[in-house]
Amino acid sequence: MKFRKASAAAAAAVALAVTATACGGSDSGGGDDKKITIGIKFDQPGLGLKTPDGKYEGFDVDVATYVAKELGYDAKDITWKQSPSAERENLIKNGDVKFVVASYSINDKRKKEVDFAGPYLLAHQDLLVRADDSSITKAEDLNTKKLCSVTGSTSAQNVKDKLAPKADLLEQGGYSECLTGLENKAVDALTTDDSILAGYAAQKEHQGKFKLVGLKMSDEKYGIGLKKGDKDLQAKINKALEKMVSDGTWDQLVQKNFGPANYKNEPAPKIEETS
C-alpha cells in the first residue's frame, strides 16, 4: 500500500510539472524551445510596422528575425509583442519578451535596468524637409521656420535648447501628423532620428516628396535590450549580429528598408555591449 501511495504521489508530481511547463511555455518571452517572443514597435515605418493585413516589416523586424534564426528559431516560431518606448524596460524585466529590437538607443540610464547587445545601427538626429525646399541646410535655419516633432520629444528640445531657440515648435501626438503638416506646408521640418525619418520617407506614398537634410545632431546607438545579467544571451546575440554584418545581410537590410529615402547610413557599428 505504501508503494502504491508513493507511486500515485510521484505520478501526480510529474503531471503537475508537465502542466506547469505547458502553461509557462511561450508566454514569458519564449520559455520553451519552440517559441520566442520579441518586442518591436508596431508603428514605425522602415523599422517596426504592423501592416493592415497583420504582417510585420522593417529593419528592426528583419534584424530580430535574423538573430532569432541564429538562436534556433524559425520565423514562424516568433511572436511579436508591441513595445512602446515607455514600456520596453518593463517588458524585459517582467519576462514578457526575450529581447527588444525597437529603435532602442543605448544610454547609461537604461543600462541600469536592462542589458544590451550590439549596437546594430548608428543613427543621428536629423531633419526631414520637403524635397523642393533648399532653404534649410543647417539647424540654425530653423530659427525662422516651423518645426514639428512629437509631444515630449527629446529631439525637439535639443533643437530648441541648443541649436535654434527661435524655432516655432509644433508638437503633435505622432510623427504621421507631422508628416501631413510637412506635406501641406503647415510646418517646414520634422525632427527625430534619421532612421525613423528615412522609414517614413521611404514609404511608397511618400517617395520623392521629402528629403533628409543630412545633419548629425546626436549619436543614437540602437541596441537589442535583454534581461540584466543574461550574459549568455547577450553573447549569442552579439555573435549573430557580427555574422549578419560579415555575410552581407546587414547591408542588404539597410538598402531594403531605407534605400528609397536615399538614407546615407553609417557603416555597421562595432559591437560594444559585452559586459
Side-chain angles (χ1 to χ4, degrees):
M1 289 293 290
K2 288 183 179 180
F3 175 76
R4 292 173 63 184
K5 286 182 179 179
S7 298
V14 171
L16 183 61
V18 170
T19 302
T21 301
C23 292
S26 60
D27 63 352
S28 60
D32 68 30
D33 293 333
K34 297 180 180 179
K35 300 291 181 183
I36 186 171
T37 302
I38 302 173
I40 57 169
K41 294 286 184 68
F42 279 17
D43 59 354
Q44 282 188 342
L47 286 162
L49 183 70
K50 183 178 182 180
T51 63
D53 59 358
K55 295 180 181 179
Y56 301 90
E57 61 184 30
F59 184 70
D60 284 349
V61 175
D62 290 339
V63 169
T65 302
Y66 185 100
V67 169
K69 185 174 182 180
E70 291 300 304
L71 295 177
Y73 301 92
D74 291 332
K76 62 180 175 57
D77 300 326
I78 300 173
T79 298
W80 301 109
K81 189 170 184 65
Q82 186 171 18
S83 302
S85 295
E87 294 298 318
R88 290 176 297 202
E89 285 85 22
N90 286 334
L91 290 170
I92 293 169
K93 290 192 290 186
N94 293 339
D96 296 319
V97 295
K98 191 72 171 177
F99 54 82
V100 168
V101 190
S103 55
Y104 202 0
S105 296
I106 302 168
N107 61 40
D108 290 339
K109 181 181 178 181
R110 290 168 179 164
K111 286 169 71 172
K112 291 178 181 178
E113 299 188 62
V114 300
D115 279 340
F116 286 94
Y120 64 92
L121 184 72
L122 175 58
H124 305 285
Q125 184 185 344
D126 199 359
L127 300 173
L128 190 71
V129 299
R130 289 181 291 277
D132 59 356
D133 187 352
S134 58
S135 66
I136 301 175
T137 59
K138 57 186 183 298
E140 291 77 8
D141 293 333
L142 293 171
N143 278 315
T144 58
K145 303 289 186 178
K146 292 183 179 180
L147 174 67
C148 191
S149 196
V150 297
T151 303
S153 164
T154 55
S155 298
Q157 285 309 124
N158 184 41
V159 172
K160 283 288 288 182
D161 295 345
K162 303 176 183 178
L163 303 171
K166 294 182 181 179
D168 185 2
L169 178 60
L170 173 66
E171 293 184 296
Q172 296 281 18
Y175 293 116
S176 296
E177 292 94 324
C178 285
L179 210 62
T180 299
L182 185 59
E183 185 173 6
N184 296 336
K185 299 186 177 181
V187 298
D188 301 299
L190 162 59
T191 188
T192 187
D193 295 356
D194 54 8
S195 57
I196 297 174
L197 296 174
Y200 278 105
Q203 287 183 291
K204 288 183 179 180
E205 63 269 30
H206 297 144
Q207 288 178 18
K209 296 180 180 179
F210 309 106
K211 65 181 180 182
L212 280 81
V213 176
L215 306 181
K216 296 180 180 180
M217 296 184 282
S218 71
D219 290 334
E220 307 294 337
K221 296 178 180 179
Y222 289 178
I224 295 179
L226 57 133
K227 187 165 287 188
K228 197 161 187 64
D230 194 343
K231 301 305 178 185
D232 180 59
L233 180 60
Q234 182 188 52
K236 289 178 179 177
I237 293 177
N238 280 336
K239 185 177 179 181
L241 293 176
E242 289 173 342
K243 181 180 177 181
M244 182 176 65
V245 174
S246 65
D247 69 12
T249 301
W250 188 89
D251 286 319
Q252 293 171 12
L253 297 181
V254 169
Q255 183 59 36
K256 169 190 170 185
N257 290 290
F258 304 123
N262 295 317
Y263 176 50
K264 295 178 177 60
N265 62 282
E266 297 276 10
K270 292 182 179 180
I271 300 297
E272 297 177 357
E273 300 301 317
T274 56
S275 61

Tab-separated table of all heavy atoms in Angstrom, residues 208-262:
chain	number	residue	atom	x	y	z
A	208	GLY	N	9.829	60.553	-52.972
A	208	GLY	CA	10.008	61.710	-53.826
A	208	GLY	C	9.475	63.011	-53.256
A	208	GLY	O	9.746	64.083	-53.796
A	209	LYS	N	8.732	62.928	-52.157
A	209	LYS	CA	8.124	64.137	-51.572
A	209	LYS	C	9.024	64.816	-50.543
A	209	LYS	O	8.918	66.029	-50.333
A	209	LYS	CB	6.783	63.790	-50.910
A	209	LYS	CG	5.711	63.302	-51.866
A	209	LYS	CD	4.423	62.999	-51.102
A	209	LYS	CE	3.332	62.501	-52.035
A	209	LYS	NZ	2.078	62.189	-51.288
A	210	PHE	N	9.875	64.024	-49.883
A	210	PHE	CA	10.670	64.558	-48.788
A	210	PHE	C	12.141	64.177	-48.946
A	210	PHE	O	12.487	63.285	-49.712
A	210	PHE	CB	10.156	64.015	-47.445
A	210	PHE	CG	8.678	64.189	-47.244
A	210	PHE	CD1	7.819	63.089	-47.341
A	210	PHE	CD2	8.129	65.425	-46.970
A	210	PHE	CE1	6.459	63.235	-47.154
A	210	PHE	CE2	6.765	65.588	-46.783
A	210	PHE	CZ	5.931	64.489	-46.878
A	211	LYS	N	12.981	64.854	-48.169
A	211	LYS	CA	14.405	64.520	-48.166
A	211	LYS	C	14.983	64.779	-46.777
A	211	LYS	O	14.486	65.627	-46.019
A	211	LYS	CB	15.166	65.348	-49.200
A	211	LYS	CG	15.178	66.845	-48.912
A	211	LYS	CD	15.929	67.625	-49.992
A	211	LYS	CE	15.923	69.132	-49.691
A	211	LYS	NZ	16.612	69.911	-50.751
A	212	LEU	N	16.021	64.012	-46.441
A	212	LEU	CA	16.743	64.243	-45.203
A	212	LEU	C	17.802	65.309	-45.449
A	212	LEU	O	18.472	65.300	-46.491
A	212	LEU	CB	17.401	62.960	-44.704
A	212	LEU	CG	16.484	61.963	-43.968
A	212	LEU	CD1	15.699	61.132	-44.977
A	212	LEU	CD2	17.306	61.045	-43.072
A	213	VAL	N	17.956	66.227	-44.503
A	213	VAL	CA	18.932	67.294	-44.655
A	213	VAL	C	20.349	66.738	-44.524
A	213	VAL	O	21.279	67.211	-45.174
A	213	VAL	CB	18.683	68.415	-43.621
A	213	VAL	CG1	19.754	69.496	-43.713
A	213	VAL	CG2	17.296	69.029	-43.862
A	214	GLY	N	20.520	65.718	-43.685
A	214	GLY	CA	21.831	65.087	-43.542
A	214	GLY	C	22.645	65.632	-42.390
A	214	GLY	O	23.872	65.561	-42.398
A	215	LEU	N	21.974	66.169	-41.383
A	215	LEU	CA	22.666	66.677	-40.199
A	215	LEU	C	22.915	65.541	-39.207
A	215	LEU	O	22.224	64.531	-39.217
A	215	LEU	CB	21.829	67.778	-39.531
A	215	LEU	CG	21.402	68.935	-40.432
A	215	LEU	CD1	20.610	69.955	-39.627
A	215	LEU	CD2	22.608	69.588	-41.082
A	216	LYS	N	23.880	65.730	-38.368
A	216	LYS	CA	24.182	64.727	-37.336
A	216	LYS	C	24.172	65.428	-35.986
A	216	LYS	O	25.210	65.767	-35.423
A	216	LYS	CB	25.536	64.061	-37.612
A	216	LYS	CG	25.551	63.270	-38.921
A	216	LYS	CD	26.902	62.617	-39.170
A	216	LYS	CE	26.892	61.830	-40.478
A	216	LYS	NZ	28.202	61.184	-40.743
A	217	MET	N	22.957	65.663	-35.479
A	217	MET	CA	22.790	66.472	-34.272
A	217	MET	C	22.901	65.655	-32.991
A	217	MET	O	22.884	66.206	-31.900
A	217	MET	CB	21.447	67.206	-34.336
A	217	MET	CG	21.369	68.196	-35.487
A	217	MET	SD	19.841	69.165	-35.506
A	217	MET	CE	18.685	67.975	-36.199
A	218	SER	N	22.995	64.348	-33.118
A	218	SER	CA	23.218	63.471	-31.961
A	218	SER	C	23.629	62.102	-32.463
A	218	SER	O	23.455	61.787	-33.642
A	218	SER	CB	21.947	63.349	-31.103
A	218	SER	OG	20.971	62.574	-31.785
A	219	ASP	N	24.203	61.296	-31.590
A	219	ASP	CA	24.528	59.901	-31.915
A	219	ASP	C	23.576	58.992	-31.163
A	219	ASP	O	23.468	59.076	-29.938
A	219	ASP	CB	25.965	59.565	-31.513
A	219	ASP	CG	26.984	60.272	-32.390
A	219	ASP	OD1	26.649	60.605	-33.547
A	219	ASP	OD2	28.109	60.505	-31.911
A	220	GLU	N	22.879	58.134	-31.891
A	220	GLU	CA	21.930	57.190	-31.291
A	220	GLU	C	22.363	55.782	-31.683
A	220	GLU	O	22.214	55.375	-32.832
A	220	GLU	CB	20.497	57.467	-31.775
A	220	GLU	CG	20.027	58.908	-31.606
A	220	GLU	CD	19.910	59.327	-30.154
A	220	GLU	OE1	19.764	58.437	-29.288
A	220	GLU	OE2	19.960	60.544	-29.869
A	221	LYS	N	22.905	55.059	-30.717
A	221	LYS	CA	23.337	53.685	-30.973
A	221	LYS	C	22.211	52.736	-30.602
A	221	LYS	O	21.899	52.563	-29.423
A	221	LYS	CB	24.601	53.371	-30.163
A	221	LYS	CG	25.801	54.214	-30.565
A	221	LYS	CD	27.016	53.909	-29.707
A	221	LYS	CE	28.206	54.767	-30.124
A	221	LYS	NZ	29.399	54.505	-29.299
A	222	TYR	N	21.597	52.117	-31.621
A	222	TYR	CA	20.492	51.197	-31.384
A	222	TYR	C	21.021	49.842	-30.924
A	222	TYR	O	21.878	49.240	-31.587
A	222	TYR	CB	19.678	50.982	-32.662
A	222	TYR	CG	18.847	52.182	-33.094
A	222	TYR	CD1	18.090	52.126	-34.251
A	222	TYR	CD2	18.810	53.358	-32.352
A	222	TYR	CE1	17.319	53.202	-34.673
A	222	TYR	CE2	18.056	54.441	-32.756
A	222	TYR	CZ	17.308	54.364	-33.927
A	222	TYR	OH	16.558	55.443	-34.330
A	223	GLY	N	20.518	49.381	-29.794
A	223	GLY	CA	20.919	48.085	-29.273
A	223	GLY	C	19.723	47.168	-29.091
A	223	GLY	O	18.572	47.579	-29.228
A	224	ILE	N	20.001	45.918	-28.802
A	224	ILE	CA	18.964	44.927	-28.522
A	224	ILE	C	18.894	44.751	-27.010
A	224	ILE	O	19.852	44.324	-26.377
A	224	ILE	CB	19.270	43.592	-29.216
A	224	ILE	CG1	19.228	43.791	-30.744
A	224	ILE	CG2	18.292	42.506	-28.779
A	224	ILE	CD1	19.530	42.542	-31.542
A	225	GLY	N	17.755	45.136	-26.438
A	225	GLY	CA	17.597	45.095	-24.994
A	225	GLY	C	17.231	43.707	-24.489
A	225	GLY	O	16.409	43.012	-25.088
A	226	LEU	N	17.868	43.290	-23.393
A	226	LEU	CA	17.587	41.980	-22.813
A	226	LEU	C	17.698	42.059	-21.292
A	226	LEU	O	18.160	43.076	-20.739
A	226	LEU	CB	18.537	40.922	-23.372
A	226	LEU	CG	20.028	41.191	-23.201
A	226	LEU	CD1	20.748	39.963	-22.685
A	226	LEU	CD2	20.642	41.625	-24.541
A	227	LYS	N	17.299	40.994	-20.637
A	227	LYS	CA	17.256	40.995	-19.171
A	227	LYS	C	18.654	41.194	-18.598
A	227	LYS	O	19.625	40.606	-19.055
A	227	LYS	CB	16.640	39.696	-18.659
A	227	LYS	CG	16.408	39.682	-17.151
A	227	LYS	CD	15.475	38.538	-16.741
A	227	LYS	CE	14.031	38.819	-17.136
A	227	LYS	NZ	13.095	37.809	-16.564
A	228	LYS	N	18.722	42.024	-17.579
A	228	LYS	CA	20.007	42.346	-16.957
A	228	LYS	C	20.647	41.089	-16.377
A	228	LYS	O	19.995	40.314	-15.689
A	228	LYS	CB	19.815	43.400	-15.866
A	228	LYS	CG	21.112	44.076	-15.458
A	228	LYS	CD	20.853	45.395	-14.749
A	228	LYS	CE	22.166	46.134	-14.496
A	228	LYS	NZ	22.835	46.523	-15.753
A	229	GLY	N	21.918	40.906	-16.689
A	229	GLY	CA	22.655	39.765	-16.166
A	229	GLY	C	22.662	38.542	-17.058
A	229	GLY	O	23.378	37.572	-16.773
A	230	ASP	N	21.882	38.563	-18.159
A	230	ASP	CA	21.836	37.401	-19.049
A	230	ASP	C	22.991	37.477	-20.051
A	230	ASP	O	22.808	37.799	-21.224
A	230	ASP	CB	20.498	37.327	-19.781
A	230	ASP	CG	20.262	35.978	-20.451
A	230	ASP	OD1	21.237	35.229	-20.623
A	230	ASP	OD2	19.096	35.676	-20.793
A	231	LYS	N	24.193	37.197	-19.572
A	231	LYS	CA	25.398	37.332	-20.389
A	231	LYS	C	25.462	36.287	-21.502
A	231	LYS	O	26.046	36.527	-22.560
A	231	LYS	CB	26.639	37.231	-19.504
A	231	LYS	CG	26.692	38.293	-18.413
A	231	LYS	CD	26.564	39.698	-18.998
A	231	LYS	CE	26.571	40.768	-17.924
A	231	LYS	NZ	26.328	42.119	-18.479
A	232	ASP	N	24.866	35.129	-21.262
A	232	ASP	CA	24.860	34.071	-22.278
A	232	ASP	C	24.072	34.524	-23.501
A	232	ASP	O	24.542	34.391	-24.636
A	232	ASP	CB	24.267	32.789	-21.691
A	232	ASP	CG	24.235	31.652	-22.710
A	232	ASP	OD1	25.317	31.276	-23.210
A	232	ASP	OD2	23.134	31.152	-23.015
A	233	LEU	N	22.874	35.061	-23.274
A	233	LEU	CA	22.052	35.546	-24.386
A	233	LEU	C	22.717	36.735	-25.062
A	233	LEU	O	22.721	36.834	-26.295
A	233	LEU	CB	20.659	35.931	-23.889
A	233	LEU	CG	19.695	36.465	-24.958
A	233	LEU	CD1	19.458	35.418	-26.044
A	233	LEU	CD2	18.368	36.880	-24.325
A	234	GLN	N	23.302	37.619	-24.282
A	234	GLN	CA	23.989	38.777	-24.843
A	234	GLN	C	25.099	38.341	-25.800
A	234	GLN	O	25.225	38.870	-26.913
A	234	GLN	CB	24.581	39.632	-23.716
A	234	GLN	CG	25.279	40.907	-24.189
A	234	GLN	CD	26.008	41.598	-23.054
A	234	GLN	OE1	26.808	40.986	-22.344
A	234	GLN	NE2	25.739	42.887	-22.866
A	235	ALA	N	25.895	37.359	-25.378
A	235	ALA	CA	26.995	36.870	-26.212
A	235	ALA	C	26.472	36.230	-27.497
A	235	ALA	O	27.046	36.417	-28.580
A	235	ALA	CB	27.837	35.878	-25.424
A	236	LYS	N	25.387	35.470	-27.387
A	236	LYS	CA	24.822	34.797	-28.571
A	236	LYS	C	24.263	35.811	-29.568
A	236	LYS	O	24.427	35.659	-30.783
A	236	LYS	CB	23.729	33.811	-28.138
A	236	LYS	CG	24.263	32.574	-27.430
A	236	LYS	CD	23.134	31.661	-26.991
A	236	LYS	CE	23.684	30.403	-26.308
A	236	LYS	NZ	22.577	29.528	-25.817
A	237	ILE	N	23.584	36.854	-29.046
A	237	ILE	CA	23.039	37.878	-29.939
A	237	ILE	C	24.162	38.648	-30.611
A	237	ILE	O	24.116	38.924	-31.816
A	237	ILE	CB	22.098	38.829	-29.165
A	237	ILE	CG1	20.841	38.081	-28.701
A	237	ILE	CG2	21.696	40.012	-30.049
A	237	ILE	CD1	19.894	38.921	-27.862
A	238	ASN	N	25.193	38.992	-29.857
A	238	ASN	CA	26.330	39.702	-30.448
A	238	ASN	C	26.989	38.888	-31.557
A	238	ASN	O	27.371	39.423	-32.604
A	238	ASN	CB	27.356	40.048	-29.367
A	238	ASN	CG	26.981	41.276	-28.568
A	238	ASN	OD1	26.230	42.128	-29.046
A	238	ASN	ND2	27.484	41.373	-27.353
A	239	LYS	N	27.106	37.591	-31.337
A	239	LYS	CA	27.680	36.711	-32.356
A	239	LYS	C	26.811	36.710	-33.614
A	239	LYS	O	27.322	36.741	-34.747
A	239	LYS	CB	27.809	35.291	-31.806
A	239	LYS	CG	28.509	34.320	-32.748
A	239	LYS	CD	28.663	32.942	-32.112
A	239	LYS	CE	29.345	31.964	-33.056
A	239	LYS	NZ	29.479	30.611	-32.443
A	240	ALA	N	25.492	36.700	-33.422
A	240	ALA	CA	24.565	36.728	-34.555
A	240	ALA	C	24.683	38.047	-35.316
A	240	ALA	O	24.673	38.072	-36.556
A	240	ALA	CB	23.135	36.525	-34.060
A	241	LEU	N	24.810	39.155	-34.591
A	241	LEU	CA	24.933	40.464	-35.234
A	241	LEU	C	26.232	40.556	-36.035
A	241	LEU	O	26.249	41.104	-37.143
A	241	LEU	CB	24.888	41.572	-34.177
A	241	LEU	CG	23.552	41.755	-33.448
A	241	LEU	CD1	23.682	42.821	-32.352
A	241	LEU	CD2	22.429	42.137	-34.422
A	242	GLU	N	27.299	40.017	-35.484
A	242	GLU	CA	28.578	40.029	-36.204
A	242	GLU	C	28.488	39.212	-37.491
A	242	GLU	O	29.020	39.615	-38.535
A	242	GLU	CB	29.688	39.485	-35.299
A	242	GLU	CG	30.054	40.437	-34.166
A	242	GLU	CD	31.031	39.835	-33.163
A	242	GLU	OE1	31.161	38.582	-33.154
A	242	GLU	OE2	31.646	40.591	-32.396
A	243	LYS	N	27.807	38.091	-37.433
A	243	LYS	CA	27.628	37.257	-38.624
A	243	LYS	C	26.767	37.975	-39.660
A	243	LYS	O	27.041	37.915	-40.861
A	243	LYS	CB	26.987	35.920	-38.242
A	243	LYS	CG	26.785	34.995	-39.433
A	243	LYS	CD	26.151	33.664	-39.010
A	243	LYS	CE	25.896	32.783	-40.233
A	243	LYS	NZ	25.257	31.493	-39.860
A	244	MET	N	25.731	38.673	-39.192
A	244	MET	CA	24.830	39.401	-40.082
A	244	MET	C	25.592	40.455	-40.882
A	244	MET	O	25.300	40.672	-42.067
A	244	MET	CB	23.716	40.062	-39.265
A	244	MET	CG	22.691	40.802	-40.101
A	244	MET	SD	21.335	41.451	-39.095
A	244	MET	CE	22.231	42.641	-38.099
A	245	VAL	N	26.573	41.080	-40.252
A	245	VAL	CA	27.389	42.078	-40.943
A	245	VAL	C	28.360	41.396	-41.904
A	245	VAL	O	28.487	41.782	-43.071
A	245	VAL	CB	28.164	42.945	-39.931
A	245	VAL	CG1	29.133	43.875	-40.658
A	245	VAL	CG2	27.193	43.763	-39.079
A	246	SER	N	29.033	40.362	-41.429
A	246	SER	CA	30.086	39.724	-42.229
A	246	SER	C	29.548	39.004	-43.463
A	246	SER	O	30.234	38.935	-44.485
A	246	SER	CB	30.887	38.737	-41.368
A	246	SER	OG	30.076	37.656	-40.934
A	247	ASP	N	28.318	38.494	-43.393
A	247	ASP	CA	27.780	37.767	-44.554
A	247	ASP	C	27.035	38.674	-45.541
A	247	ASP	O	26.469	38.205	-46.532
A	247	ASP	CB	26.903	36.588	-44.116
A	247	ASP	CG	25.589	36.997	-43.453
A	247	ASP	OD1	25.217	38.186	-43.525
A	247	ASP	OD2	24.932	36.120	-42.846
A	248	GLY	N	27.024	39.991	-45.251
A	248	GLY	CA	26.418	40.943	-46.181
A	248	GLY	C	24.944	41.208	-45.953
A	248	GLY	O	24.360	42.083	-46.617
A	249	THR	N	24.327	40.483	-45.038
A	249	THR	CA	22.891	40.649	-44.808
A	249	THR	C	22.563	42.044	-44.279
A	249	THR	O	21.551	42.642	-44.669
A	249	THR	CB	22.372	39.589	-43.817
A	249	THR	OG1	22.638	38.289	-44.348
A	249	THR	CG2	20.880	39.744	-43.578
A	250	TRP	N	23.418	42.581	-43.412
A	250	TRP	CA	23.152	43.887	-42.809
A	250	TRP	C	22.991	44.956	-43.884
A	250	TRP	O	22.035	45.734	-43.876
A	250	TRP	CB	24.284	44.254	-41.848
A	250	TRP	CG	24.017	45.495	-41.034
A	250	TRP	CD1	23.391	45.568	-39.818
A	250	TRP	CD2	24.380	46.837	-41.373
A	250	TRP	NE1	23.331	46.873	-39.386
A	250	TRP	CE2	23.937	47.678	-40.320
A	250	TRP	CE3	25.027	47.420	-42.461
A	250	TRP	CZ2	24.126	49.063	-40.328
A	250	TRP	CZ3	25.221	48.802	-42.477
A	250	TRP	CH2	24.766	49.599	-41.423
A	251	ASP	N	23.920	44.995	-44.829
A	251	ASP	CA	23.842	45.978	-45.916
A	251	ASP	C	22.577	45.795	-46.742
A	251	ASP	O	21.933	46.774	-47.142
A	251	ASP	CB	25.071	45.862	-46.829
A	251	ASP	CG	26.327	46.427	-46.182
A	251	ASP	OD1	26.246	47.486	-45.534
A	251	ASP	OD2	27.392	45.789	-46.309
A	252	GLN	N	22.213	44.554	-46.997
A	252	GLN	CA	21.014	44.274	-47.783
A	252	GLN	C	19.756	44.777	-47.074
A	252	GLN	O	18.853	45.339	-47.699
A	252	GLN	CB	20.899	42.773	-48.039
A	252	GLN	CG	21.985	42.199	-48.934
A	252	GLN	CD	21.952	40.673	-48.991
A	252	GLN	OE1	20.999	40.044	-48.539
A	252	GLN	NE2	23.007	40.079	-49.530
A	253	LEU	N	19.716	44.595	-45.760
A	253	LEU	CA	18.539	45.007	-44.996
A	253	LEU	C	18.423	46.527	-44.903
A	253	LEU	O	17.323	47.080	-44.935
A	253	LEU	CB	18.584	44.393	-43.591
A	253	LEU	CG	18.527	42.867	-43.531
A	253	LEU	CD1	18.557	42.389	-42.086
A	253	LEU	CD2	17.286	42.333	-44.240
A	254	VAL	N	19.561	47.202	-44.786
A	254	VAL	CA	19.549	48.672	-44.781
A	254	VAL	C	19.009	49.190	-46.104
A	254	VAL	O	18.134	50.072	-46.143
A	254	VAL	CB	20.967	49.236	-44.523
A	254	VAL	CG1	21.007	50.740	-44.794
A	254	VAL	CG2	21.392	48.965	-43.087
A	255	GLN	N	19.499	48.643	-47.206
A	255	GLN	CA	19.063	49.079	-48.527
A	255	GLN	C	17.581	48.768	-48.740
A	255	GLN	O	16.830	49.591	-49.278
A	255	GLN	CB	19.907	48.406	-49.610
A	255	GLN	CG	19.583	48.860	-51.035
A	255	GLN	CD	19.768	50.353	-51.244
A	255	GLN	OE1	20.676	50.949	-50.670
A	255	GLN	NE2	18.921	50.961	-52.058
A	256	LYS	N	17.167	47.612	-48.308
A	256	LYS	CA	15.774	47.196	-48.476
A	256	LYS	C	14.808	48.137	-47.763
A	256	LYS	O	13.768	48.523	-48.326
A	256	LYS	CB	15.607	45.774	-47.934
A	256	LYS	CG	14.159	45.314	-47.801
A	256	LYS	CD	14.080	44.010	-47.024
A	256	LYS	CE	12.652	43.655	-46.665
A	256	LYS	NZ	12.574	42.450	-45.797
A	257	ASN	N	15.146	48.526	-46.546
A	257	ASN	CA	14.196	49.278	-45.721
A	257	ASN	C	14.335	50.794	-45.815
A	257	ASN	O	13.351	51.505	-45.620
A	257	ASN	CB	14.345	48.850	-44.261
A	257	ASN	CG	13.846	47.441	-44.015
A	257	ASN	OD1	12.658	47.177	-44.056
A	257	ASN	ND2	14.776	46.508	-43.769
A	258	PHE	N	15.550	51.279	-46.126
A	258	PHE	CA	15.773	52.725	-46.138
A	258	PHE	C	16.197	53.270	-47.499
A	258	PHE	O	16.213	54.487	-47.705
A	258	PHE	CB	16.858	53.107	-45.119
A	258	PHE	CG	16.576	52.654	-43.715
A	258	PHE	CD1	17.486	51.852	-43.037
A	258	PHE	CD2	15.411	53.018	-43.064
A	258	PHE	CE1	17.253	51.434	-41.734
A	258	PHE	CE2	15.156	52.605	-41.762
A	258	PHE	CZ	16.086	51.806	-41.098
A	259	GLY	N	16.536	52.390	-48.412
A	259	GLY	CA	17.077	52.804	-49.707
A	259	GLY	C	16.248	53.826	-50.457
A	259	GLY	O	16.794	54.815	-50.975
A	260	PRO	N	14.927	53.648	-50.546
A	260	PRO	CA	14.106	54.596	-51.310
A	260	PRO	C	14.166	56.031	-50.788
A	260	PRO	O	13.798	56.959	-51.492
A	260	PRO	CB	12.695	54.017	-51.153
A	260	PRO	CG	12.907	52.554	-50.946
A	260	PRO	CD	14.151	52.482	-50.103
A	261	ALA	N	14.636	56.219	-49.541
A	261	ALA	CA	14.730	57.566	-48.970
A	261	ALA	C	16.114	58.174	-49.173
A	261	ALA	O	16.393	59.265	-48.680
A	261	ALA	CB	14.413	57.524	-47.475
A	262	ASN	N	16.989	57.449	-49.913
A	262	ASN	CA	18.377	57.894	-50.102
A	262	ASN	C	19.069	58.141	-48.762
A	262	ASN	O	19.792	59.120	-48.573
A	262	ASN	CB	18.417	59.166	-50.958
A	262	ASN	CG	17.933	58.914	-52.371
A	262	ASN	OD1	18.276	57.909	-52.992
A	262	ASN	ND2	17.103	59.814	-52.879
